[in-house]
Amino acid sequence: MKRGFKRLLLVICCLAIVFACGCGLLEQRLTVLELEPEEPAGTEELQLGRYWYGYWYITDTEEKWRDLDGYSWDCCGELSSIGEEYSLLLWDEDMPKDYYLAKIHFQHSDGGYYCSGGEFLDVNLARGAVAMKLEEDSGALFRLSGSYSDGSTGSFYYVVYLRPWGELWPSGQSRPYFYESWYLPRIEAGEDPPDVMEPYEYK
């Protein structure tokens, strides 16, 4: 009851100010506010550059993938967009850009990211098959995860971690295996990610 009474007093005071100051002045102030709307959260999160670098690993492996449980591979990514849909192309140490690891289509809505299709190792991705999250963790960190099964070789769960190409990865945290020997020399030289990754020669 007290809360409602205070709100009523506040409304009466506001009306008194309106009539005392003139409607034109208040209308002008409201117009200024309308010209400067608050930006929705997350609308600029994808303005981070075209190329990405990181690593991916697999767990919970079955059948022919069992011996690779816990293995990781360095990878590169390229982000492109058509209209409101984005595509992230991923390639790694073993699969060059023209024979890519994955191509994931997604959209950005309500501050989140939603997979709308694509493919992973030649298996089509259903809508929502990949969980995606772009977060702030000592810089931008894009995390993707999902499960793979082709019906013949077995299955596994995968996780991909990416940072924009050119950014440093913090010490004391997990990094791509060839971060120091392959990645750092390339960004120091101002190079873009190559279509074919050959990190072993720098090991």
Side-chain angles (χ1 to χ4, degrees):
M1 182 67 71
K2 291 182 179 180
R3 186 184 225 175
F5 181 72
K6 289 182 179 179
R7 185 175 299 174
L8 179 60
L9 287 177
L10 181 60
V11 170
I12 293 173
C13 291
C14 289
L15 290 174
I17 292 173
V18 169
F19 288 110
C21 298
C23 296
L25 180 57
L26 182 60
E27 183 179 352
Q28 184 179 6
R29 289 179 179 175
L30 291 175
T31 302
V32 172
L33 291 175
E34 290 173 358
L35 291 174
E36 298 177 359
E38 183 177 348
E39 290 292 333
T43 56
E44 297 180 357
E45 289 179 335
L46 287 174
Q47 308 302 318
L48 296 171
R50 176 180 177 184
Y51 295 115
W52 300 73
Y53 168 73
Y55 67 96
W56 73 287
Y57 68 90
I58 62 175
T59 60
D60 300 326
T61 56
E62 297 290 342
E63 298 181 33
K64 294 183 179 180
W65 298 97
R66 195 179 302 276
D67 292 339
L68 295 177
D69 194 273
Y71 270 59
S72 69
W73 296 264
D74 284 28
C75 63
C76 291
E78 182 176 13
L79 184 67
S80 59
S81 63
I82 300 178
E84 297 181 353
E85 184 168 80
Y86 297 88
S87 288
L88 180 64
L89 184 69
L90 296 173
W91 66 102
D92 69 4
E93 309 163 21
D94 299 328
M95 286 169 283
K97 189 175 182 180
D98 60 357
Y99 188 64
Y100 49 82
L101 165 69
K103 189 170 186 178
I104 302 171
H105 306 304
F106 63 98
Q107 296 178 341
H108 180 220
S109 177
D110 298 327
Y113 303 89
Y114 306 92
C115 171
S116 56
E119 55 185 296
F120 191 100
L121 288 176
D122 297 328
V123 173
N124 291 332
L125 293 171
R127 184 176 182 85
V130 181
M132 316 178 75
K133 185 177 183 181
L134 182 60
E135 56 191 19
E136 177 68 25
D137 182 7
S138 301
L141 181 66
F142 206 4
R143 183 183 189 275
L144 305 90
S145 61
S147 59
Y148 169 87
S149 177
D150 64 0
S152 59
T153 64
S155 61
F156 58 80
Y157 177 78
Y158 63 87
V159 179
V160 184
Y161 286 107
L162 300 169
R163 292 186 185 275
W165 180 267
E167 286 195 7
L168 300 180
W169 290 60
S171 59
Q173 298 184 18
S174 297
R175 292 173 167 177
Y177 187 80
F178 294 103
Y179 172 78
E180 293 184 355
S181 61
W182 183 84
Y183 175 68
L184 289 183
R186 286 189 174 275
I187 64 170
E188 289 172 0
E191 299 179 10
D192 289 334
D195 292 351
V196 179
M197 297 181 66
E198 296 177 347
Y200 300 103
E201 62 181 290
Y202 299 100
K203 184 176 180 181

